[in-house]
């Protein structure tokens, strides 16, 4: 059998993992969640969850991946035996579904780069809304989805070193630099101080009053943004060597991801406040495409800022999408002996087809997103945490200690964070997520079916 691929350098792995983590979750999802869930109050809970839940959960996946040097299905089979491999299947299915609509949103972003270049952001909310609906569903959206997916397939098809590692070395530094540049620009806008007040001064009363909304939203977001719960970090860690300190790498990755999300807020909110848009009414998924585009339409040089901003998001989305595809591809290579390029092309094409409905009608984005994000992702994270925290904790503690000079009692701190807080919070989150999905299925989605069938 051919030797399994590995990352060429430590930086290569870190950049790939940061590339996976930093994506639509940071720049698209995070600002609209902050807007909807009460500004700084949400930010505080989110930061807390990233540190207390997200970071330990990332190490859980690293340990499984590096220990086995296998894809998620193979890794769980090896460590836990028969039944646990089904969890690997859940991971693969989750990645499959997420990528199918993630790519559609990636296509919208590409479209908004073009709109910017043509100088075409409409300066009022209603017009911007019309522009979004036109760009987001229908043949154009299918085309954008196809282009985005083709790029993902091309990168993953070239393999770990020549494809993924090579691409992220250019993409990730670019994302970081441009994001900082845009934040500095946003600082000069007249709405900046109002924006900072909204974004940066938390109100404890607000957290206490709305915790049933804020908690699951913050936990779900912490998982999504760190690419947890579907085996992406298991897969990426399966290509690294034993000599590295997983906790140290994890800290850098979590730190950079959080920094970029935070910076996205520093970009988006000043633009909102300057354009007179209330962040609490940013129309959810349409936030950056409608509200932000409308605010951009009002700014001088808004088209240029918009082009750069959406261009950055496109790169960030691409470097995340490749990790979603790699999960499934690594399974086909490791367990089915398929050749990389064939595996990539076949899976990529099927994912493209599965995503088509979400490019035709926005209601399918919610149908896929709520299920994959609020249920499957959290379920996957919960199960792998139970597995590592309670079933194979000795192996896990041994693995986390490798490449570390002096672990001290940090290993125990980590395993106990996984055993109780991580599991409890994920359990509560999934419970609330199932209810929300039920409401969606019997509400908005049933209405849609009633009108269209
Ligand atoms: N972390 C990515 C983002 O923030 C999304 C993602 C989730 C990627 C799960 C891979 C796995 O956009």
């Amino acid at each position: 059998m051919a030797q399994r691929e590995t990352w060429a350098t430590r930086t290569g792995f870190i950049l790939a993992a940061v590339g996976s983590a930093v994506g639509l979750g940071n720049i698209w999802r995070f600002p609209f969640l902050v807007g909807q869930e009460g500004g700084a109050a949400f930010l505080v809970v989110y930061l807390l969850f990233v540190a207390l839940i997200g970071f330990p959960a990332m190490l859980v996946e690293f340990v499984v991946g590096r220990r086995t040097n296998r894809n998620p299905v193979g890794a769980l089979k090896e460590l836990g035996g028969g039944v646990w491999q089904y969890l690997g299947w859940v991971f693969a299915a989750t990645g499959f579904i997420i990528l199918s609509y993630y790519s559609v949103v990636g296509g919208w972003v590409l479209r908004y780069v073009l709109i910017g270049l043509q100088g075409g952001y409409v300066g009022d909310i209603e017009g911007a809304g019309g522009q979004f609906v036109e760009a987001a569903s229908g043949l154009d959206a299918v085309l954008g989805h196809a282009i985005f997916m083709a790029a993902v397939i091309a990168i993953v098809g070239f393999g770990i070193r020549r494809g993924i590692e090579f691409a992220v070395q250019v993409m990730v530094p670019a994302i970081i630099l441009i994001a900082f540049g845009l934040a500095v620009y946003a600082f000069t806008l007249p709405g900046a101080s109002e924006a900072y007040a909204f974004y940066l001064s938390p109100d404890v009363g607000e957290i206490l009053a709305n915790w049933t909304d804020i908690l699951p939203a913050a936990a779900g977001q912490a998982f999504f943004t760190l690419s947890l719960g579907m085996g992406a970090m298991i897969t990426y860690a399966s290509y690294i060597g034993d000599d590295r300190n997983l906790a140290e790498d994890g800290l850098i990755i979590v730190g950079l991801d959080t920094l970029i999300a935070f910076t996205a807020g520093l970009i988006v909110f000043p633009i909102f406040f300057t354009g007179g848009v209330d962040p609490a009414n940013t129309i959810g998924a349409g936030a950056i495409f409608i509200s932000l585009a409308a605010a951009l339409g009002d700014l001088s040089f808004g088209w240029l800022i918009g082009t750069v901003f959406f261009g950055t998001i496109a790169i960030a989305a691409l470097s995340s999408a490749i990790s979603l595809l790699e999960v499934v591809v690594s399974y086909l290579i490791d367990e089915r002996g398929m050749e990389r390029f064939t595996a990539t092309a076949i899976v990529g094409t099927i994912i493209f087809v599965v995503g088509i409905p979400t490019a035709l009608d926005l209601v399918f984005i919610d149908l896929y997103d709520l299920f994959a994000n609020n249920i499957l992702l959290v379920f996957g994270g919960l199960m792998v945490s139970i597995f590592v925290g309670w079933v194979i904790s000795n192996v896990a503690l041994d693995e986390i200690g490798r490449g570390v000079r002096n672990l001290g009692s940090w290993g125990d701190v980590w395993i106990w964070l996984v055993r109780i807080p991580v599991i409890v919070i994920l359990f509560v989150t999934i419970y609330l997520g199932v209810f929300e999905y039920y409401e969606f299925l019997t509400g908005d989605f049933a209405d849609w079916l009633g009108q269209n069938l």
Side-chain angles (χ1 to χ4, degrees):
M1 220 173 93
Q3 208 183 355
R4 200 166 182 272
E5 295 171 275
T6 55
W7 304 108
T9 64
R10 174 180 182 211
T11 330
F13 162 66
I14 292 181
L15 289 176
V18 172
S20 168
V22 174
L24 295 170
N26 303 59
I27 317 183
W28 166 63
R29 213 160 175 270
F30 175 71
F32 84 70
L33 279 177
V34 175
Q36 280 172 351
E37 306 291 339
F42 176 83
L43 180 66
V44 171
V45 180
Y46 167 78
L47 291 176
L48 207 73
F49 278 4
V50 163
L52 286 181
I53 312 291
F55 179 53
M58 181 174 282
L59 296 184
V60 162
E61 295 204 15
F62 280 177
V63 159
V64 172
R66 188 175 69 174
R67 184 68 169 198
T68 56
N69 294 124
R70 282 171 84 173
N71 65 93
V73 177
L76 288 162
K77 187 156 59 176
E78 182 179 322
L79 288 175
V83 233
W84 286 102
Q85 70 176 305
Y86 296 113
L87 179 56
W89 283 106
V90 175
F91 286 153
T94 313
F96 209 91
I97 302 175
I98 294 185
L99 183 53
S100 75
Y101 69 83
Y102 201 87
S103 164
V104 171
V105 180
W108 300 348
V109 176
L110 292 178
R111 182 64 199 274
Y112 270 72
V113 174
L114 265 188
I115 297 179
L117 285 175
Q118 294 160 345
Y121 301 119
V122 181
D124 65 281
I125 290 276
E126 229 160 78
Q131 191 171 41
F132 174 67
V133 170
E134 206 176 292
S137 42
L139 227 51
D140 273 7
V142 177
L143 186 68
H145 172 41
I147 296 174
F148 189 88
M149 216 41 228
V152 178
I153 293 173
I155 297 175
V156 173
F158 272 109
I160 293 300
R161 291 190 183 184
R162 283 189 310 143
I164 300 180
E165 191 164 348
F166 178 74
V168 295
Q169 269 166 1
V170 190
M171 296 200 275
V172 173
I175 299 166
I176 297 174
L177 281 180
I178 303 173
F180 284 157
L182 285 171
V184 172
Y185 158 79
F187 173 76
T188 66
L189 292 173
S193 52
E194 216 184 326
Y196 298 152
F198 169 78
Y199 185 39
L200 302 175
S201 38
D203 173 353
V204 181
E206 172 107 30
I207 302 179
L208 295 177
N210 296 326
W211 71 272
T212 47
D213 282 344
I214 294 182
L215 242 62
Q221 173 64 9
F223 255 65
F224 184 78
T225 188
L226 294 173
S227 302
L228 299 173
M230 47 128 324
M233 291 300 174
I234 296 182
T235 310
Y236 272 11
S238 75
Y239 299 114
I240 62 181
D242 273 350
D243 53 334
R244 287 210 304 252
N245 184 333
L246 292 176
E248 211 173 86
D249 287 7
L251 212 57
I252 299 175
I253 295 159
V254 171
L256 279 173
D257 182 73
T258 309
L259 185 68
I260 296 293
F262 182 72
T263 309
L266 293 179
I267 300 168
V268 169
F269 293 117
I271 297 179
F272 277 167
F273 279 93
T274 305
V277 174
D278 175 0
N281 302 320
T282 48
I283 332 171
I288 60 167
F289 299 102
I290 302 176
S291 320
L292 189 92
L296 285 169
D298 275 344
L299 291 179
S300 38
F301 291 105
W303 66 271
L304 181 61
I305 299 299
T307 305
V308 175
F309 181 71
F310 285 109
T312 316
I313 304 178
I315 301 171
L318 193 57
S319 65
S320 300
I322 54 184
S323 69
L324 288 160
L325 186 55
E326 181 60 26
V327 172
V328 187
V329 167
S330 69
Y331 163 75
L332 291 174
I333 297 175
D334 290 352
E335 311 292 315
R336 298 269 164 248
M338 256 189 181
E339 195 263 324
R340 174 173 281 273
F341 207 86
T342 321
T344 311
I346 294 177
V347 180
T349 309
I350 300 176
I351 290 178
F352 168 71
V353 174
V354 174
I356 289 178
T358 65
L360 294 177
D361 198 306
L362 288 173
V363 80
F364 287 104
I365 294 259
D366 285 337
L367 183 74
Y368 286 35
D369 182 54
L370 287 174
F371 181 58
N373 229 321
N374 294 11
I375 299 177
L376 285 180
L377 208 65
V378 188
F379 175 77
L382 175 65
M383 293 315 280
V384 75
S385 299
I386 293 175
F387 177 62
V388 167
W390 293 102
V391 183
I392 58 151
S393 57
N394 288 336
V395 175
L397 280 168
D398 174 62
E399 188 62 32
I400 200 80
R402 293 192 180 207
V404 182
R405 228 174 282 138
N406 185 5
L407 190 62
S409 51
W410 285 108
D412 293 322
V413 173
W414 167 63
I415 213 80
W416 280 103
L417 278 174
V418 173
R419 282 182 175 171
I420 304 195
V422 172
I423 290 176
V424 169
I425 294 203
L426 290 180
F427 190 80
V428 174
T429 307
I430 193 169
Y431 177 80
L432 294 166
V434 170
F435 268 105
E436 200 185 322
Y437 199 56
Y438 178 76
E439 262 173 37
F440 167 76
L441 287 179
T442 53
D444 284 358
F445 192 63
D447 292 347
W448 183 88
L449 287 177
Q451 278 159 21
N452 288 277
L453 294 183

